[in-house]
Amino acid sequence: MIDRQQIGQGEVARLARSRAYLIGCMILATAASSIAQDFRPNIPKAWDDKEVERFELPLAQRDRTPRHMAAEEYYKLKARPIYRSYPAYAKGREPEGYLESLKQKEPEIIFDASKLQTKEDWIEAGKLVFESDILFSPAPASQPSASDTPLPVSSDGRFPYFQPGFRYYVRQKGVLERGVNACANCHTRIMPDGSFLEGAQGTPNSPPTEASLRAIRELPPDRYRRTLDIFWVNFGAPWVASREEFEAALTKEEFVRTRAATRPSVFFRQGTSISHPPHVPSLIGIQDLSYLDSTGFVRHRSIADLMRYAITNQGLDTLAHYGDFQPSPGATVFSGDEGTRYSDEQLYALALYIYSLKPPPNPNPVDARARHGEKIFQQQGCSGCHTPPFYTNNKLTPAMGFQVPDDLQKTDDILNVSVGTDSTLALKTRRGTGFYKVPSLRGVWYRAAFGHGGWADTLEEWFDPARLKGDYVPLGFHLGPGPIQGHEFGLKLTPDDRKDLIAFLKTL
């Protein structure tokens, strides 16, 4: 008990304030704990028949718009477990007896929705889904060599966890496998300081070597036959080219030419094109975007749409019917002996994790040059399409030659002006809606592969007027010399003004 007669009135007041402060902190801490513990995930049904019909835009050729399997059939598929994985070491740098020790481990399932209490728990579980592979093959008897990948090896000899095929899995005791096809494979970027940025534009394609190109040329006929079969499943569109025409055009030499043209941030994803692949998108800030894919193929109206997008992009789209065409009537990359789909809980956690991703600290200063560049950005009308704060107006622009249907004018956000970029991806693929979305400019400072086809390697190249010349050789993806067409905004600025504009864009 405090004796007020033994201390001054000022001290009494101070003690009272301290007690009130401590009580307030306790109340806030209790409330925060209560909020965390009371998190009740509202997990939507990912594969709902009515919503599945509406979450994708129709294709430019309406009668080829994909029809997906019914929800009843989908939910009969077995949900895949998420197993613990283990790193691969460069040959000669692994702990003694490493591979044998892995074979002695019991299979361990690491995603258990019943144990997730807080939102942070769900986000961490989503990270596990993001980083986990879904396709498995027997592991070789020895560790891979450091020369097997262009990515850096850590100081203790481990390969990056997101490198496809460089993680070990134990799904059955005594059987060691390596996995591929994790979200992290394409959406993890190595930053200039050597750190890894998950969700950013990744670099899944390594630069081709003479040896890799020679290996294509030397493929036996039966092996190349199987390669063509895989290409048809991933890229075939019979309303664009029949299977015979597709295979006749894709000779070994044409495949070599395409492989030689690849760049690290461009990826031949299923449903696009061998000759016109898209760049890898960044997932950071995706919660603010109304459309997904360069062609705006998916309407992003809610977390459920992102869950559906994950489902189709892990292979279910190859089981869809495009008119009378079904790319893969049987097993796909979506299939496997340990489960053929994500559970709705896994998808919800994955989407929460993607929504939680934040950009890294921006090292580019907001200096006088950048401030002048912002004025140029406004004066040139760039904000009309790339509207702050998201630096996109979240609208679709028609590709050259595409007439916007009346029903889409009424139901979607259309800016009926074409910027003149190449229309192949939008008109001649299984993701071809006839549109390109207006991309966000946030985070361009840590991206590459500009233009939806990744033709320009840097912002400096994108704003270089020389790229319009007929004999121009792009630094990004290209099959030969030729102009980078379209989006001529900013090309008529003076060299200094272009530099200032780029300085501003790099601060976003």
Side-chain angles (χ1 to χ4, degrees), residues 37 41 57 71 88 94 110 139 267 281 299 312 342:
Q37 295 298 326
L57 262 69
E94 70 275 15
I110 56 175
F267 186 62
R299 297 180 176 102
T312 56
Y342 290 120

Side-chain angles (χ1 to χ4, degrees), residues 136-159:
F136 306 96
S137 60
S142 62
Q143 294 275 51
S145 169
S147 62
D148 292 338
T149 172
L151 298 184
V153 176
S154 68
S155 59
D156 64 356
R158 288 177 296 171
F159 290 103

Side-chain angles (χ1 to χ4, degrees), residues 400 419-422 462 467-468 484-489 491:
M400 290 186 296
V419 297
T421 51
D422 184 272
W462 185 250
R467 71 170 171 84
L468 299 179
I484 300 177
Q485 298 175 327
H487 197 284
E488 299 183 16
F489 307 106
L491 298 187

Side-chain angles (χ1 to χ4, degrees), residues 360-499:
N362 193 324
N364 298 288
V366 182
D367 54 15
R369 168 154 274 178
R371 288 191 289 271
H372 182 236
E374 184 175 12
K375 292 180 180 178
I376 296 170
F377 184 84
Q378 298 294 340
Q379 292 167 357
Q380 293 293 310
C382 305
S383 59
C385 290
H386 301 286
T387 311
F390 304 141
Y391 288 91
T392 173
N393 59 11
N394 269 319
K395 294 186 177 183
L396 303 171
T397 66
M400 290 186 296
F402 181 65
Q403 297 297 316
V404 181
D406 290 340
D407 63 321
L408 295 185
Q409 290 277 23
K410 298 174 183 177
T411 59
D412 284 275
D413 294 317
I414 309 297
L415 178 65
N416 206 352
V417 177
S418 174
V419 297
T421 51
D422 184 272
S423 62
T424 303
L425 188 63
L427 297 179
K428 297 180 179 180
T429 70
R430 300 201 308 247
R431 295 176 187 253
T433 61
F435 295 104
Y436 291 116
K437 72 176 181 183
V438 176
S440 171
L441 300 180
R442 292 182 303 181
V444 292
W445 68 270
Y446 58 84
R447 300 203 319 246
F450 294 96
H452 60 262
W455 312 293
D457 188 50
T458 63
L459 282 175
E460 286 76 10
E461 183 181 13
W462 185 250
F463 286 105
D464 185 352
R467 71 170 171 84
L468 299 179
K469 295 180 179 180
D471 60 351
Y472 183 73
V473 180
L475 299 179
F477 180 89
H478 64 282
L479 293 175
I484 300 177
Q485 298 175 327
H487 197 284
E488 299 183 16
F489 307 106
L491 298 187
K492 295 181 181 180
L493 295 172
T494 66
D496 282 343
D497 281 352
R498 286 202 301 274
K499 290 180 181 178

Side-chain angles (χ1 to χ4, degrees), residues 109-161:
I109 295 174
I110 56 175
F111 185 100
D112 184 349
S114 68
K115 296 181 179 179
L116 306 179
Q117 300 297 320
T118 68
K119 187 174 183 179
E120 289 69 28
D121 289 342
W122 280 89
I123 289 172
E124 284 300 310
K127 179 179 171 69
L128 296 177
V129 179
F130 185 86
E131 295 176 352
S132 296
D133 295 301
I134 66 171
L135 283 180
F136 306 96
S137 60
S142 62
Q143 294 275 51
S145 169
S147 62
D148 292 338
T149 172
L151 298 184
V153 176
S154 68
S155 59
D156 64 356
R158 288 177 296 171
F159 290 103
Y161 65 91

